C-alpha cells in the first residue's frame, strides 16, 4: 500500500509547525520535518493559505435518528459534520425514539446508523428515572457515558432525575468509573416566559442562577459518591468559581461550552429570531467574555456544538414566539469557523482551538486514537483555510433542515477538505464506523 504524505507549512500537532504527515493504512505513522524525503509516497501539498488540523471530535450532537429523522438523521448530520472538519461525533440519547436508555434502544440506534454515517459515530446512554439497573449493561455495551437532565428535557420519553435519583444513578456510575454528563438547570429558578417575540423576556425566564444552583447540586453529588461528572453546554460564567473550588477540593468535574455561547450576545439577538433560542440561553456580551476567560484559564475544558435541530415548523419562525419555539441551535458544520473567528480576535491561536475542539473532547470520552496528529492515531484530518471569509447561507448547509442562527453571518475560516482514516470524505460512500468505549 502506497503511503500518503500531507506536506504543509502549518500543521497543528500540540503546537504549530511545518511538517510532513505520513499516513499508512489509515493511521499516522510519522510526523517528519517539512523537507524530509517522501520516497514513493503520494504527496498532498497544502496551499500556502491552508493549515492541517486534526479532525474535530464533537461529543454533543443530537442526531434524533431513529424516530425523529425528520428533524435530523445520520446521513445528513454526518455529512454536515464532515463539511465542518468534524471526523467523530458522539450522539446524544435523546431526541430519538426510543431514547438510548436500555440495550434494545442502543441496538435500534446502532441499526439506524450502520452503513449511513460519513464520519465515525459513538453513542451516549441515558440516565433517567427507573433505569439505574440498565446502566451497567449499557456501559458494558460500549456507550461513552450517560446523559441526564436535572429538569424537564422537553420530550416526554426522556425523564429528568430528582436529587435522590441523581445520587442513586451517580453512585452506580461511580462503581463503574463511568461518566455522567448533565444538563444543569434548576427548575425552581426558572419561570414560564410570557408568549411573545421579546428575546429579553425569554432570557429573563432562565437566569444564570438556574445553572449555578444545578451545578452546585452536581458538585455535591459528585463529592458524595466519588463519581465523574461533566457539565454540558455551560452558558453562565458565574458558575466558574464553583467549578474552580470543586476541582481544588478533588471533585472529578469537567465542563464544556458551545460555539453559540462564544459567538453571540443577547444584546444582538433580534426579537422574534427564534432560531437563536436554546436552553440554557445565549447571554450578555460580558458573560460571553467570562466564558472565553474560563477557556483560557482552563476551567472550561472543551467546545462542542450541541447541534440540536428540529423540524422547521417547531421553531415558530412564522410567529417569532420564543415561549412556543423549540430550543436548540443547528450548527454542526459551522463550529470551527465560528470559534476560530472569535478566538483570533482575542489573540488565541489554532493550537488552542484544536485542543478545545479535537484533543479535549477525545480525551473526555477516551478516544485514544482521535483528536491529535501524532503517530499511531487515526489519520483523521482537516484542511483548513483560516483567512478565508464567507457568508453563511442556511440553504447550503448539509444538515437536514435549512435553519440556523448563523444564517447571514460572516465567518472566517473555511474547511476545504476532511479526511477520515486517510481517505477524503466526499459524501458518495459512507465510511464512518460505529465506535465503542474502550475499543476506539
Amino acid at each position: 500500500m502506497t503511503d500518503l504524505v500531507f506536506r504543509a507549512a502549518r500543521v497543528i500537532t500540540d503546537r504549530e509547525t511545518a511538517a510532513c504527515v505520513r499516513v499508512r493504512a489509515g493511521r499516522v505513522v510519522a510526523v517528519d520535518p517539512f523537507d524530509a524525503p517522501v520516497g514513493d509516497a503520494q504527496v498532498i501539498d497544502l496551499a500556502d493559505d491552508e493549515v492541517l488540523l486534526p479532525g474535530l471530535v464533537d461529543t454533543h450532537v443530537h442526531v434524533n435518528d431513529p424516530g425523529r429523522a425528520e428533524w435530523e438523521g445520520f446521513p445528513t448530520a454526518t455529512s454536515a459534520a464532515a463539511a465542518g472538519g468534524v471526523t467523530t461525533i458522539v450522539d446524544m440519547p435523546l431526541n430519538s425514539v426510543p431514547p438510548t436508555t436500555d440495550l434494545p434502544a442502543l441496538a435500534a440506534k446502532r441499526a439506524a446508523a450502520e452503513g449511513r454515517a460519513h464520519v465515525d459515530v459513538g453513542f451516549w446512554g441515558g440516565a433517567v428515572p427507573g433505569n439505574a439497573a440498565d446502566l451497567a449493561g449499557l456501559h458494558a455495551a460500549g456507550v461513552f457515558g450517560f446523559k441526564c437532565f436535572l429538569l424537564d428535557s422537553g420530550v416526554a420519553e426522556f425523564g429528568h432525575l430528582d436529587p435522590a435519583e441523581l445520587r442513586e444513578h451517580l453512585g452506580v456510575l461511580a462503581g463503574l468509573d463511568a461518566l455522567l454528563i448533565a444538563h444543569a438547570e434548576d427548575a425552581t429558578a426558572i419561570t414560564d416566559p410570557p408568549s411573545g417575540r421579546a428575546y429579553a423576556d425569554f432570557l429573563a425566564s432562565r437566569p444564570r442562577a438556574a445553572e449555578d444552583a444545578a451545578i452546585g447540586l452536581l458538585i455535591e453529588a459528585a463529592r458524595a459518591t466519588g463519581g465523574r461528572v461533566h457539565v454540558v453546554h455551560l452558558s453562565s460564567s458565574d458558575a466558574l468559581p464553583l467549578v474552580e473550588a470543586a476541582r481544588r477540593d478533588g471533585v472529578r468535574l469537567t465542563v464544556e461550552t458551545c460555539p453559540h455561547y462564544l459567538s453571540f450576545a443577547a444584546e444582538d439577538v433580534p426579537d422574534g429570531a427564534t432560531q437563536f433560542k436554546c436552553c440554557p440561553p445565549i447571554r450578555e456580551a460580558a458573560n460571553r467574555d467570562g466564558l472565553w476567560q474560563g477557556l483560557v484559564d482552563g476551567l472550561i475544558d472543551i467546545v462542542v456544538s450541541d447541534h440540536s435541530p428540529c423540524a422547521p415548523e417547531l421553531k415558530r419562525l412564522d410567529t417569532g414566539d420564543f415561549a412556543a419555539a423549540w430550543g436548540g441551535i443547528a450548527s454542526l458544520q459551522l463550529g470551527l469557523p465560528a470559534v476560530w473567528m472569535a478566538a483570533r480576535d482575542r489573540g488565541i491561536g489554532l493550537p488552542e482551538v484544536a485542543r478545545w475542539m479535537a484533543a479535549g473532547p477525545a480525551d473526555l470520552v477516551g478516544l485514544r486514537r482521535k483528536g491529535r496528529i501524532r503517530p499511531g492515531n487515526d489519520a483523521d484530518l482537516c484542511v483548513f483555510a483560516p483567512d478565508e471569509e464567507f457568508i453563511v447561507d442556511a440553504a447550503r448547509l448539509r444538515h437536514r433542515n435549512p435553519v440556523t442562527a448563523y444564517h447571514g453571518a460572516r465567518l472566517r475560516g473555511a474547511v476545504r477538505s476532511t479526511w477520515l482514516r486517510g481517505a477524503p470524505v466526499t459524501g458518495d460512500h459512507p465510511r464512518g464506523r460505529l465506535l465503542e468505549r474502550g475499543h476506539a
Side-chain angles (χ1 to χ4, degrees), residues 143-232:
V143 301
F144 286 88
F146 296 86
K147 170 74 175 287
C148 75
F149 274 72
L150 302 183
L151 79 173
D152 186 355
S153 71
V155 291
E157 66 274 2
F158 198 93
H160 67 282
L161 301 181
D162 65 25
E165 292 164 333
L166 172 65
R167 290 210 179 191
E168 176 192 13
H169 284 69
L170 191 51
V172 172
L173 296 180
L176 302 169
D177 197 29
L179 180 64
L180 181 75
I181 68 174
H183 181 126
E185 287 183 286
D186 182 350
T188 64
I190 291 173
T191 59
D192 292 330
S195 297
R197 297 169 55 85
Y199 183 74
D201 289 344
F202 168 66
L203 177 61
S205 74
R206 301 185 90 100
R208 301 184 204 186
E211 283 188 84
D212 305 342
I215 290 169
L217 177 67
L218 281 171
I219 289 169
E220 291 312 309
R223 195 191 309 274
T225 61
R228 290 196 293 141
V229 170
H230 177 75
V231 176
V232 300

Side-chain angles (χ1 to χ4, degrees), residues 62 64 68 71 93-99 128-129 149 151-160 308-310 314 326-327:
H62 293 269
N64 309 328
R68 290 192 176 98
W71 294 16
L94 75 165
N95 302 298
S96 56
V97 181
V128 297
F149 274 72
L151 79 173
D152 186 355
S153 71
V155 291
E157 66 274 2
F158 198 93
H160 67 282
S308 186
C310 65
L314 296 179
W326 175 264

Side-chain angles (χ1 to χ4, degrees), residues 368-429:
R368 299 182 300 276
R369 296 200 299 266
K370 303 290 189 183
R372 293 176 175 87
I373 299 175
R374 67 182 179 189
N377 274 26
D378 289 347
D380 296 349
L381 305 168
C382 167
V383 176
F384 184 61
D387 297 324
E388 182 177 333
E389 294 190 355
F390 65 99
I391 303 295
V392 177
D393 179 355
R396 297 175 63 87
L397 299 178
R398 296 187 184 180
H399 64 257
R400 183 177 179 93
N401 295 301
V403 177
T404 180
Y406 291 91
H407 178 66
R410 180 180 294 275
L411 297 182
R412 183 186 299 118
V415 174
R416 293 197 174 153
S417 64
T418 300
W419 299 70
L420 182 67
R421 289 185 299 279
V425 182
T426 63
D428 297 328
H429 304 289

